[in-house]
Amino acid sequence: MEVSKARSAGAESSDLGIAESPADQETSTSSSSGPATLLARTLSPVQKLLFQLVESKLSRPITERRHKRICESFGGGAGGLGCELLKDLALTGFKYLDVIDMDRIEVTNLNRQFLFRLEDVGKPKAEVAAKRVMERVNGVNITPHFCRIEDKSLDFYSDFSIIVLGLDSVEARSYINAVACGFLEYDSEDNPREETVKPMVDGGTEGFKGHARIIVPGTTPCFECTIWLFPPQVKFPLCTLAETPRTAAHCIEYAHLIKWNEVHGSRSFDPDSPEDMQWVYSEAVKRAELFGIPGVTYSFTQGVVKNIIPAIASTNAIISAACALETLKIVSGCSKTLSNYLTYNGVEGLHTKVTEFVRDKDCLVCGPGVLIELEKSVTLKKVRLCFFLQLYSYNSYTFIAVILTVAGHLRFTYAVQQFIDLLEDHPRLLLTRVSVTHRGKNLYMQAPPVLEEMTRSNLDLPLFELMGGVAKDVIHVNGMAGKGDKKQSCLRKLRVVFRGVDVIADIDMAGGA
């Protein structure tokens, strides 16, 4: 879901539609004791960055701000948490919203996704959710997008000042995190450039548990910095599924992973197809009856196959409220923001806790990476040699003798530098056996042999050409780092800047993961 502007919260409001922050209010004097200064003095470094970001956004002319939007994106954007977020943000005063969701409404959604009705089953969630909220909240305008978040271009997301996530998968969060961090730029001292920071507010629920967090790329941990917070998905050994099933989940996965391929061959299973899901459910019931295992239901089959996490309406409401509040704080500067991860546990009683996680400075997504400045002529590996011989005779016999006897006249000139070999001597890298990728494309791979052969021809080409002729961009290199016997495999992020291609200001990109 994307949020762009907000409904007026007072008689004299900013164009964002919320009460203007102290930083946006004009005063008759520039005294250091003004309200904005007093508020700034109480903020942490992260909050000061957000305060300055909001101040710069709100200080723009109204005509310019009118075209800026605040983005809220969802993988399952109008699901349990998505419905709550859409409602909360509209009621908070955000006036222009976009909601993204690729799913259609199912009967099982109706117990907690309150924007939907029985007659809506089969319709796109985004379209119905947008319609319901606009019917209930005066003055709000919501644009639905019935598609995947990956279907939108980077230009679509670049318009927004803040991203609020109500996603239902690790993969979707990683994608949006990479998109937001891809807009981040650093100065020559590896400090994030304020105007390129795109804050995110992320929420998630699992049963009676949930979290809300803020992510300020380059300052607080991004999603990849704390990926370890998410437990690995449960996987079952195929031998257990095929021979000794013990649970209802084993029977369902047997029908899904083994029986489906035996019957349907190359046709892929579609988890969003009611017919395919019904077939898996029927086969799972037969398997469960054969081994005397109870508990196979249609809804449980959906949960296992689609990895659906049980959702509780009250948990969604609590986490949504926290996310909406943090969004309001960021865009208005009305109060301190969360620092930086809130957890909620309602399993036994009620427990909330705020933890301040630390950013990984070497993060391949939000970190600055290692700055490498190169000439346009630099190739990946091989060096073209220009050699000049001073000859005393044109006779072939004499020519050979000259080479052997007048080595002092033999001069070699390196016409092109080597990029991969350069990484071996770089004090912050010390990489050997390097493979190079750029925006998902393999420029050169050391292994396996088939990929090495396919990419070998790139070794003679200038890196500038292989990267599409851009003045600067991010590449990733994989290799062995360290010295002597202490080498280990590692992945490194490099900011490559080509000299003389463009007027390079004091900035360098960090994103593009």
Side-chain angles (χ1 to χ4, degrees):
M1 182 192 327
E2 300 136 12
V3 186
S4 54
K5 299 176 189 171
R7 188 161 46 96
S8 174
E12 297 291 332
S13 63
S14 71
D15 192 53
L16 281 173
I18 49 182
E20 291 190 331
S21 70
D24 199 37
Q25 296 172 351
E26 294 186 0
T27 58
S28 59
T29 176
S30 59
S31 171
S32 61
S33 60
T37 304
L38 292 176
L39 177 60
R41 287 176 180 172
T42 66
L43 303 180
S44 67
V46 172
Q47 292 156 348
K48 285 181 180 179
L49 176 61
L50 288 174
F51 182 87
Q52 294 166 357
L53 180 63
V54 170
E55 184 179 23
S56 65
K57 300 290 185 187
L58 296 181
S59 61
R60 293 175 180 166
I62 289 178
T63 53
E64 182 179 350
R65 279 186 275 143
R66 184 171 289 121
H67 298 287
K68 293 296 290 182
R69 293 182 290 177
I70 299 168
C71 165
E72 181 169 343
S73 305
F74 302 103
L81 181 58
C83 286
E84 292 284 351
L85 274 168
L86 195 62
K87 174 260 296 180
D88 286 347
L89 289 165
L91 291 175
T92 299
F94 292 93
K95 191 164 58 175
Y96 294 91
L97 314 172
D98 290 56
V99 57
I100 302 177
D101 200 299
M102 62 174 287
D103 291 336
R104 296 181 181 272
I105 300 168
E106 300 178 4
V107 174
T108 55
N109 301 146
L110 303 182
N111 70 328
R112 63 195 180 279
Q113 298 174 21
F114 62 92
L115 295 177
F116 308 139
R117 305 291 181 267
L118 186 60
E119 62 268 21
D120 299 325
V121 172
K123 298 178 182 178
K125 287 184 177 182
E127 296 177 4
V128 177
K131 176 184 176 182
R132 288 283 190 275
V133 174
M134 286 191 291
E135 290 174 348
R136 298 290 188 88
V137 183
N138 292 330
V140 65
N141 296 278
I142 304 176
T143 303
H145 301 273
F146 179 44
C147 63
R148 301 165 64 246
I149 57 174
E150 295 87 350
D151 293 339
K152 293 295 184 181
S153 65
L154 294 180
D155 291 338
F156 175 81
Y157 294 107
S158 67
D159 285 340
F160 308 120
S161 303
I162 181 174
I163 299 177
V164 184
L165 306 176
L167 301 168
D168 61 357
S169 71
V170 173
E171 293 78 9
R173 284 187 173 90
S174 293
Y175 176 81
I176 290 294
N177 180 74
V179 168
C181 293
F183 299 118
L184 180 65
E185 295 180 357
Y186 284 85
D187 61 23
S188 60
E189 297 180 355
D190 286 348
N191 296 315
R193 287 180 57 87
E194 182 182 301
E195 63 273 18
T196 67
V197 176
K198 198 176 294 292
M200 292 179 282
V201 179
D202 173 48
T205 64
E206 181 176 348
F208 287 101
K209 300 178 181 179
H211 79 266
R213 67 188 297 186
I214 66 166
I215 298 174
V216 184
T219 305
T220 68
C222 76
F223 181 73
E224 293 299 327
C225 291
T226 53
I227 191 69
W228 50 269
L229 289 171
F230 291 83
Q233 295 184 0
V234 177
K235 296 185 180 299
F236 305 109
L238 288 179
C239 59
T240 300
L241 302 181
E243 300 175 7
T244 57
R246 297 183 296 275
T247 67
H250 289 166
C251 299
I252 294 170
E253 287 290 49
Y254 169 82
H256 173 219
L257 300 176
I258 298 177
K259 194 66 175 179
W260 176 272
N261 291 332
E262 291 179 357
V263 175
H264 297 278
S266 60
R267 189 169 85 82
S268 300
F269 173 78
D270 182 3
D272 295 318
S273 169
E275 292 77 15
D276 289 3
M277 189 65 69
Q278 181 63 43
W279 188 93
V280 169
Y281 165 65
S282 299
E283 292 297 320
V285 169
K286 296 176 184 178
R287 182 74 169 175
E289 291 175 349
L290 180 63
F291 287 88
I293 298 173
V296 176
T297 65
Y298 183 79
S299 60
F300 186 58
T301 301
Q302 286 182 304
V304 172
V305 172
K306 301 176 71 173
N307 194 29
I308 297 175
I309 299 172
I312 306 298
S314 58
T315 308
N316 289 334
I318 292 170
I319 296 303
S320 173
C323 291
L325 179 60
E326 293 306 317
T327 304
L328 179 63
K329 290 178 183 178
I330 292 175
V331 300
S332 68
C334 63
S335 181
K336 293 183 180 180
T337 57
L338 189 68
S339 296
N340 46 42
Y341 195 103
L342 168 72
T343 54
Y344 164 80
N345 190 336
V347 176
E348 295 181 0
L350 190 152
H351 176 75
T352 60
K353 180 182 179 181
V354 175
T355 305
E356 186 171 3
F357 289 106
V358 179
R359 183 174 72 92
D360 180 3
K361 294 182 179 180
D362 295 324
C363 177
L364 295 174
V365 178
C366 70
V370 179
L371 177 63
I372 303 288
E373 295 186 0
L374 301 173
E375 300 293 339
K376 289 173 56 179
S377 57
V378 172
T379 62
L380 277 179
K381 175 70 176 179
K382 292 183 179 179
V383 179
R384 295 198 295 268
L385 299 177
C386 300
F387 57 91
F388 302 90
L389 295 174
Q390 185 171 351
L391 304 179
Y392 295 100
S393 173
Y394 292 100
N395 182 278
S396 60
Y397 176 82
T398 306
F399 178 82
I400 295 175
V402 167
I403 293 179
L404 293 177
T405 58
V406 293
H409 295 282
L410 190 63
R411 296 183 290 113
F412 291 89
T413 302
Y414 286 87
V416 182
Q417 298 174 340
Q418 308 173 79
F419 173 70
I420 291 180
D421 290 341
L422 174 67
L423 304 182
E424 295 185 17
D425 301 325
H426 196 288
R428 293 184 59 186
L429 297 173
L430 301 176
L431 288 174
T432 58
R433 295 190 55 79
V434 174
S435 298
V436 184
T437 61
H438 174 247
R439 295 194 176 275
K441 179 183 178 182
N442 296 326
L443 301 186
Y444 178 70
M445 301 297 292
Q446 288 278 356
V450 63
L451 285 181
E452 196 282 331
E453 183 178 355
M454 291 174 59
T455 58
R456 189 183 304 159
S457 59
N458 288 340
L459 291 174
D460 286 322
L461 300 177
L463 185 60
F464 178 72
E465 294 181 10
L466 293 173
M467 292 175 62
V470 296
K472 57 183 179 180
D473 208 345
V474 171
I475 65 173
H476 292 85
V477 294
N478 187 22
M480 303 298 294
K483 296 181 178 180
D485 298 331
K486 296 183 178 180
K487 291 186 177 182
Q488 60 182 4
S489 178
C490 68
L491 180 65
R492 291 289 182 264
K493 177 180 180 179
L494 307 181
R495 288 179 290 157
V496 175
V497 177
F498 293 100
R499 301 187 186 100
V501 177
D502 196 1
V503 178
I504 300 175
D506 198 23
I507 61 173
D508 294 296
M509 291 187 3

